Every structure is written in structure tokens, then in C-alpha cells.
Amino acid sequence: MYNTPLILDFLCQVAGNNNRAWFNANKAFYLKARMEFEHIVADAIARLTQFDSSIAHVKVSDATYRFYRDTRFSSDKSPYKRHLGAYIASHGKKALHGGYYIHLEPGHCLLATGNYWLPTNILVATRNEIMANRERWDECVKNPKFLDTFGIPGEHSFEDEKGFGLSMLKTAPAGFPRDDKHIQYLRMKDYCAWTAIPDDFFEKSDALDRMADVFLTAKPMMDFVNAVIDDYE
């Protein structure tokens, strides 16, 4: 359906030639790969809008990132990224409000949704909301489809094929009981869910529907957390 081999071929080559001389000599290659990726993103926005009208206003340029790396605070001075990513979010890429993420990288393509690196006050509010609405939270994250697609907190790392939560506190957060039955959810420092997809995922005719199914599985969880964030943004 989409020419992802072109995208992934470019990313493989730039990973092995991550310097400005090579990139400038292959600028046309980059532009073709980026155009193909933006085609995917545009169609993804249209498909996701069918069940989430809050992102209807999002443009491709709103969702995609610069390919150039910010190397100011990194020991890796490679000027270019090794992936292409798009974050389709109603409040924008830099907002706390959660959205839908598409990541293409050779051998490490994935779909992710949820909320990243939340500040302490919102984490505390989210934990309180979970404790006050346990049954609704369980419906979001303990149903068989969510568990099969993403798993439970602390079960996987970002290098695994699926996961729920990028990082967790080592113990119970201050003010919360250590023996609470929802302690694994209270220890979470973010509410991000992800699942790996094969490199040829977007070559299939039903790719957008399968993508939508993954995001719909996580959407109730994201909506739960977004409702808390709405009180702060």
C-alpha cells in the first residue's frame, strides 16, 4: 500500500553514513522517503479522525518532526536521526495531552499511544483518579485485548515488542499504600503503551485498519489520563 521499503532503505543508508556530506549528496533520496512517510501520516490522520474527532484539525506538519538531531547535550554528535516519527495529538506534539505515535525504523517499527513524562502533580492526580475509579481503570487496562497487545506495567522494556509504561518508581509513591492492589499502576511515571509492528506493516492493504485497532485498544486508557491532564492544561 505504501512504499515503506524506500523509507527503510533510506534510513538504513543514513544510519551507515550519518554525516552532512552524504546527506547533502542524497537530499533527493531523503525528500522521496519523507514524502512517502508524510503520505502515511496524512492517511493515518484521516483514518484516526473517524473515531477521534479531536485530531481532525491536525496537519501532517503538526505531527512530524525535524530529521535533524539536537546534539547540544548528547555525546552522539551524529547530525541525523535513524528513524521517522509522527505524533498525532490534538493539543500538539509538545503538549502533555496524549496522542498517537507512528515510528518507522529498520527492525524497530512501532505504534504507541498515551502520555509521556508527566510532571509530578499530574502523576499524583492520575494516581488519585485511578484509586477513586478503580473499576473504570480496570476496564481500560485489564481487558484481554489490552493485556494481549500491551501487557502490564513493569513486564516489558522499550526494547521489547510490547509494553505499558516506559519507567516506574522502585517503590510506592509517597502517600500511597505499598500493598494497594493497583500498586503497579500507581508506580508508573508515564502512561505510554506500545507494540512493535513488522517493517512491512504499511505495505499491507489493511494497514490503516490494523493501526486503528491498536490505537483504539489503548484509547480508553489514554482518555482516562487525558481527562486528568485537562484540569491542568
Side-chain angles (χ1 to χ4, degrees), residues 56-225:
H57 67 284
V58 176
K59 297 179 291 187
V60 170
S61 59
D62 299 326
T64 50
Y65 296 90
R66 285 167 48 88
F67 193 59
Y68 305 91
R69 297 180 62 247
D70 183 353
T71 62
R72 291 174 298 172
F73 308 106
S74 174
S75 59
D76 179 4
K77 298 303 180 182
S78 301
Y80 307 106
K81 296 176 181 176
R82 296 168 177 80
H83 68 273
L84 287 174
Y87 189 48
I88 303 167
S90 61
H91 292 200
K93 296 193 296 279
K94 296 182 179 181
L96 296 174
H97 210 263
Y100 312 96
Y101 180 63
I102 299 170
H103 181 99
L104 293 189
E105 180 180 358
H108 192 53
C109 298
L110 60 87
L111 300 173
T113 190
N115 312 78
Y116 305 81
W117 313 123
L118 295 174
T120 300
N121 61 331
I122 293 180
L123 283 172
V124 172
T126 302
R127 292 162 182 156
N128 284 328
E129 192 70 16
I130 290 172
M131 294 189 73
N133 296 278
R134 295 174 186 270
E135 290 186 9
R136 185 157 62 89
W137 177 253
D138 287 352
E139 290 172 0
C140 296
V141 301
K142 290 188 177 182
N143 65 78
K145 192 167 185 179
F146 187 97
L147 292 172
D148 182 61
T149 306
F150 305 112
I152 61 175
E155 186 179 34
H156 302 284
S157 72
F158 192 61
E159 299 304 317
D160 294 335
E161 291 190 351
K162 66 179 180 181
F164 181 33
L166 294 168
S167 61
M168 300 179 67
L169 296 172
K170 293 182 179 180
T171 186
F176 291 85
R178 294 174 180 267
D179 59 350
D180 191 275
K181 67 177 183 178
H182 285 81
I183 190 61
Q184 73 268 44
Y185 299 104
L186 304 178
R187 289 172 52 213
M188 296 175 74
K189 297 171 69 176
D190 63 88
Y191 292 90
C192 169
W194 73 90
T195 186
I197 56 174
D199 284 2
D200 65 353
F201 181 88
F202 284 102
E203 295 175 50
K204 309 300 184 182
S205 60
D206 63 346
L208 294 178
D209 289 336
R210 290 194 293 145
M211 173 203 70
D213 186 58
V214 169
F215 287 145
L216 270 170
T217 301
K219 187 175 184 296
M221 178 276 298
M222 182 178 72
D223 289 345
F224 185 104
V225 181

Side-chain angles (χ1 to χ4, degrees), residues 42-58 88 100:
D43 289 351
I45 292 171
R47 180 63 181 87
L48 298 177
T49 299
Q50 293 178 20
F51 63 80
D52 188 347
S53 60
S54 73
I55 62 165
H57 67 284
V58 176
I88 303 167
Y100 312 96

